[in-house]
């Protein structure tokens, strides 16, 4: 998972050879400085810029462009270097914008040579600044980290370089500006974005067009959505309840297919020629198609929403970013509304207290007038907040109406027509839908809850006694049935979004109580084996999966992932456990905990359908197990907490509509695609 940094945050760098990708809404110049342990830049020879683009372990581009790729080899930088600062600047004296406040917020991402993002940072809060230190890579105890800086300078490059203690700051800034002026004629402009939302209250930046200058290959920023500009940007982005830090990948995990990537020499390699900035898997690919263009809006009205109106290389990635952008917008506007109402309440309470504190105003018309005035001001403030909320919700509802029908199968509801044209995919998608999220202030807006793949946490379908949102209780037997139905729907979706043979499902149903709900999986033939029954069947399945985790972990630690036994299934594994803890002895419970803790990093995932109260006899032994799983409910429940703004989101599971045969049709295609691989 990419670490989305906010100003001041840092993140470890897992490798030495990296690319730093920059995306902006206008041609800018990217450079870098090398600093010692105190951050001091000792001379102009420690600065990489368009006039001098190459330093040991570092190379920047030679021209202004809307997008950049900087190559970094941290093993090749001199030993005296402890800090690499990435600089961005607007060309001075040209016809373009003179301050960053007039352009879209720049986006910076640190990636590996394979294009996988390590960390990203959207530089917000810039106004009059024309130069900014975006990121710094720094050495701490022989390990490198990246820190989001975002320090802007209204005085431009001269002020920035002076702040880094460079003696010849003004002379070097002049030379860089001359080099920029010479390169503006061949600069790569940003693509037009008539449908993109900008600082006037609109959210998304369009995907940047590829730069084809001498130093650029095709490039696009990934995994970010600029935030809505209706108010101050919060210090952090919303965190998905599903996401956590991923561990090392195992065979069968997306991203490791056993193929050798083409060798690409970094700036520190001896005898290397010009660096190839193109993506290793897209060297011969055509540039990505531009995002959809929104229809022209009525003057004075917001732009009409369009599906895919976000950054990303593919439409799938754009839709993923757009969905989470909608989540951000709804969280932000709801937080603003609640804050305004709280302020109105506290102000009215204060005014009423003041009116009552004066004995002379407690009786007679003066006190009544003060109270009426306080209530009127309260009603006015709440009404204003409600108008803003209604406006934002209406815009988000219009966006949801165009986004929902455009979602791919992995992101779509089961009633989406895309499932009727389902075909077994050739690639694993970025994420899949686990359900929908709502807030009480906007019940008509449903935000898909998307979990990144491969799953980084197990799932727990809570089949305990539940209280619905209207206060009524759901029968415990009905909740158990609904819980297993939800588990089957999730398992079917996981099978459907993976290529044939790359996802295997096991089921433990010790008492056989889930036979009816599990029938679609059993009858379609997509399970690895019939559901395990009794204590013996439970022990057998747990032993095999535990052994698989041990073998893959040993192979990864030894650096020999190809040295696995020939008969080992290297596909992703999912274990569905029903009716826990029935049929589990102490050994089986320990194995289950082991799978929950260690399994996701090596491709073994857990999905439990259980009532926590039924395992209360184990005491605190199972507390780590429940905490390691993402709790979902089979009925709508407001249990998902948002650590960004503190909302309690109502989660609604993604279930197959009653009477629909879409689940059986999809599983039939999955089973048919698996048969040739099993022969």
């Amino acid at each position: 998972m990419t670490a989305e940094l906010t100003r001041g945050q840092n993140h470890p760098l897992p490798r030495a050879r990296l690319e730093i990708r920059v995306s902006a809404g206008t041609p800018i110049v990217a450079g870098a400085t090398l600093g010692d342990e105190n951050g001091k830049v000792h001379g102009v020879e420690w600065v990489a810029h368009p006039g001098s683009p190459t330093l040991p372990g570092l190379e920047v581009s030679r021209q202004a462009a809307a997008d950049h790729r900087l190559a970094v080899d941290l093993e090749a930088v001199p030993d005296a270097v402890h800090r690499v600062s990435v600089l961005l600047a607007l060309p001075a004296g040209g016809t373009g914008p003179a301050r960053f406040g007039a352009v879209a917020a720049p986006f910076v991402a640190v990636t590996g040579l394979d294009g996988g993002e390590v960390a990203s940072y959207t530089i917000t809060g810039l106004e009059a600044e024309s130069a900014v230190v975006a990121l710094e890579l720094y050495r701490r105890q022989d390990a490198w980290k990246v820190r989001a800086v975002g320090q802007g300078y209204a005085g431009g490059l001269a002020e920035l370089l002076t702040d880094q203690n460079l003696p010849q700051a003004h002379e070097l800034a002049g030379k860089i500006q001359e080099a920029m002026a010479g390169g503006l004629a061949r600069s790569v402009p940003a693509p037009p974005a008539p449908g993109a939302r900008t600082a006037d209250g609109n959210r998304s930046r369009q995907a940047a067009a590829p730069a084809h200058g001498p130093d650029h290959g095709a490039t696009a920023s990934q995994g970010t959505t600029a935030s809505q500009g209706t108010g101050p940007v919060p210090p952090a982005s919303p965190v998905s309840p599903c996401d956590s830090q991923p561990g090392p990948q195992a065979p069968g995990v997306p991203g490791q297919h056993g193929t050798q990537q083409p060798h690409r020499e970094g700036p520190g390699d001896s005898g290397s020629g010009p660096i190839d900035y193109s993506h290793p898997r897209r060297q011969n690919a055509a540039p990505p198609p531009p995002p959809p263009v929104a229809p022209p809006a009525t003057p004075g009205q917001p732009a009409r929403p369009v599906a895919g109106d976000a950054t990303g290389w593919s439409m799938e990635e754009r839709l993923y970013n757009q969905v989470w952008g909608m989540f951000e917008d709804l969280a932000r506007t709801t937080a603003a509304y609640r804050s305004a109402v709280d302020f109105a309440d506290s102000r009215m309470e204060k005014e009423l207290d003041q009116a009552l504190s004066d004995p002379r105003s407690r009786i007679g018309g003066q006190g009544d007038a003060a109270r009426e005035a306080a209530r009127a001001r309260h009603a006015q403030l709440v009404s204003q907040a409600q108008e803003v909320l209604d406006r934002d919700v209406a815009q988000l509802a219009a966006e949801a109406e165009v986004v929902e029908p455009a979602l791919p199968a992995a992101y779509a509801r089961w009633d989406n027509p895309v499932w009727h044209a389902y075909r077994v995919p050739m690639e694993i998608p970025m994420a899949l839908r686990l359900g929908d999220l709502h807030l009480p202030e906007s019940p008509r807006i449903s935000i898909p809850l998307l979990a990144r793949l491969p799953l980084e946490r197990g799932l727990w379908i809570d089949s305990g006694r539940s209280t619905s949102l209207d206060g009524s209780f759901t029968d415990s037997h009905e909740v158990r049935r609904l819980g297993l139905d939800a588990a089957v729907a999730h398992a079917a979706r996981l099978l459907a979004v993976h290529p044939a043979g790359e996802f295997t499902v096991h089921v433990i149903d010790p008492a056989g109580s889930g036979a009816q709900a599990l029938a679609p999986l059993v009858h379609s033939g997509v399970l690895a084996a019939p559901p395990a029954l009794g204590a013996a069947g439970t022990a057998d399945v747990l032993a095999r999966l535990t052994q698989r985790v041990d073998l893959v972990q040993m192979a990864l630690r030894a650096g020999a992932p190809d040295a696995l036994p020939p008969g080992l299934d290297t596909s992703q594994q999912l274990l569905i456990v029903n009716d826990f803890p029935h049929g589990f002895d102490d050994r089986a419970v320990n194995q289950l905990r082991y799978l929950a803790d260690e399994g996701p990093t090596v491709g073994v995932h857990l999905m439990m359908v259980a009532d926590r109260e039924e395992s209360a006899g184990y005491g605190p032994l199972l507390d780590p197990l429940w905490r390691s799983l993402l709790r979902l409910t089979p009925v709508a429940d407001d249990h998902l907490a948002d650590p960004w703004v503190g909302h309690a989101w109502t989660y609604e599971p993604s279930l197959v509509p009653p009477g629909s045969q879409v689940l059986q049709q999809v599983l039939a295609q999955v089973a048919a695609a698996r048969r040739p691989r099993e022969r």
Side-chain angles (χ1 to χ4, degrees), residues 219-577:
T219 175
S221 64
Q222 300 179 358
T224 183
T225 303
S227 57
Q228 183 176 350
T230 57
V233 179
S237 295
V239 181
S240 165
C242 309
D243 290 345
S244 59
Q245 293 297 328
Q249 290 180 324
V253 176
Q256 290 192 1
H257 301 285
T259 57
Q260 182 69 30
Q261 294 294 340
H263 174 66
R264 300 171 63 206
E265 295 184 353
D269 295 337
S270 59
S272 64
I275 292 181
D276 179 10
Y277 284 88
S278 59
H279 194 292
R281 296 175 186 159
R282 299 176 182 140
Q283 290 181 354
N284 299 318
V293 176
T298 304
Q301 298 296 323
R304 298 178 186 175
V306 62
D309 184 14
T311 57
W313 184 269
S314 64
M315 177 58 74
E316 178 195 14
E317 185 178 356
R318 292 173 194 155
L319 287 169
Y320 176 86
N321 291 332
Q322 186 172 14
V323 165
W324 282 113
M326 293 166 61
F327 174 85
E328 293 180 17
D329 288 352
L330 184 57
R332 181 181 295 108
T333 191
T334 304
Y337 170 76
R338 293 179 179 179
S339 177
V341 172
D342 289 343
F343 171 76
D345 291 342
S346 63
R347 176 174 174 173
M348 182 179 67
E349 183 178 353
K350 181 179 179 181
E351 291 176 349
L352 291 176
D353 288 343
Q354 290 176 347
L356 294 175
S357 64
D358 187 356
R360 295 171 298 178
S361 64
R362 293 177 187 172
I363 58 176
Q366 184 178 357
D368 293 339
R371 286 189 287 271
E372 287 299 324
R375 294 189 181 99
R377 283 189 288 269
H378 174 270
Q380 181 183 10
L381 291 174
V382 172
S383 176
Q384 291 174 349
Q386 186 68 51
E387 288 178 5
V388 174
L389 176 67
D390 292 344
R391 181 200 64 199
D392 293 345
V393 167
Q395 185 173 352
L396 284 170
E399 186 172 10
E401 289 177 359
V402 298
V403 169
E404 188 68 44
L407 294 177
Y411 301 174
R413 294 193 188 100
W414 284 108
D415 58 359
N416 192 310
V418 70
W419 286 107
H420 296 289
Y422 168 76
R423 295 293 181 271
V424 177
M426 300 297 294
E427 295 182 352
I428 299 173
M430 289 181 58
L432 87 162
R433 188 175 193 149
L434 293 178
D436 298 313
L437 298 175
H438 308 270
L439 286 175
E441 289 83 357
S442 52
R444 62 181 176 140
I445 297 181
S446 173
I447 306 294
L449 174 60
L450 303 180
R452 292 297 296 262
L453 291 179
L455 293 174
E456 296 160 3
R457 299 175 65 184
L459 303 178
W460 166 31
I461 315 297
D462 189 353
S463 61
R465 190 179 184 185
S466 175
T467 304
S468 62
L469 295 179
D470 59 5
S472 61
F473 287 93
T474 306
D475 179 76
S476 59
H477 296 289
E478 179 68 10
V479 173
R480 290 174 186 271
R481 183 188 65 80
L482 291 174
L484 200 50
D485 286 344
V488 170
H490 291 317
R493 186 182 291 267
L494 284 163
L495 284 164
V497 303
H498 283 79
E502 293 195 18
F503 198 84
T504 303
V505 178
H506 310 265
V507 177
I508 292 178
D509 185 21
S513 59
Q516 182 177 357
L518 294 169
L521 297 177
V522 176
H523 295 162
S524 62
V526 296
L527 295 180
L533 302 175
T538 299
D540 178 64
V541 173
L542 292 175
R544 285 188 283 110
L545 291 178
T546 302
Q547 182 185 39
R548 183 192 185 278
V549 171
D550 290 338
L551 290 172
V552 175
Q553 281 188 338
M554 287 189 293
L556 290 176
R557 289 168 183 165
D562 297 329
L564 294 168
L568 186 71
D569 183 6
T570 58
S571 66
Q572 296 278 308
Q573 309 284 313
L574 174 68
L575 173 61
I576 302 176
V577 178

